[in-house]
Amino acid sequence: LITPRNIIQTVVSGTQTVGSTSLTDLTSATLDITPASTSSKILILGRIEADIGDNGFGYAIYKDASKIFETTAGYDVYNNTGNVRTVNTVCYLDSPSSTSELTYKYQVKTYDTDNVTFQNAGQSIITAMEV
């Protein structure tokens, strides 16, 4: 049994439209956590809610200014059959080896330069759990 030491969560509910094929901050999908030990791991859990239309989207997780995870072609959410609302589950285990405050955030991108609307009818969530 693992007992979490510290849990921080941010719930994002404001609609954001992204039409860039470059990674862009998912507004307000950020949080700060300070590990108690250098041996701690940080489990990033969450979801990204999007209306993807005929497009797809990819996402990345950043720790401070460093990208620590990005979806690849085989894992991007993609659709070519019309308007679709999707919820993408996020799960990533980080080993920061730090007791300094860390900032984690999501960045998102679209394909074909068409718009993807995030949090249009739901919420995106980022949670950091120190284990």
Side-chain angles (χ1 to χ4, degrees):
L1 181 64
I2 297 174
T3 303
R5 296 183 186 128
N6 193 4
I7 301 173
I8 307 293
Q9 182 177 74
T10 299
V11 178
V12 183
S13 56
T15 300
Q16 179 180 351
T17 301
V18 173
S20 175
T21 58
S22 299
L23 286 166
T24 303
D25 283 350
L26 185 58
T27 304
S28 301
T30 184
L31 53 76
D32 298 322
I33 188 167
T34 304
S37 168
T38 57
S39 63
S40 294
K41 297 192 181 310
I42 304 296
L43 181 60
I44 302 297
L45 299 169
R47 59 182 258 155
I48 299 174
E49 189 272 340
D51 285 346
I52 60 175
D54 289 334
N55 308 308
F57 78 93
Y59 72 90
I61 301 170
Y62 277 76
K63 174 178 60 187
D64 296 328
S66 299
K67 181 171 35 176
I68 57 174
F69 174 82
E70 183 175 0
T71 56
T72 59
Y75 296 98
D76 293 333
V77 177
Y78 191 78
N79 172 57
N80 61 4
T81 60
N83 192 30
V84 171
R85 178 166 295 129
T86 183
V87 176
N88 193 19
T89 303
V90 176
C91 183
Y92 182 82
L93 185 62
D94 187 31
S95 300
S97 300
S98 175
T99 55
S100 298
E101 182 180 74
L102 305 168
T103 299
Y104 289 91
K105 69 179 179 179
Y106 295 151
Q107 286 197 341
V108 293
K109 64 182 177 181
T110 185
Y111 296 106
D112 303 324
T113 66
D114 291 327
N115 290 339
V116 172
T117 303
F118 296 90
Q119 297 90 233
N120 191 38
Q123 299 171 321
S124 292
I125 300 170
I126 183 170
T127 305
M129 181 185 309
E130 180 183 3
V131 293

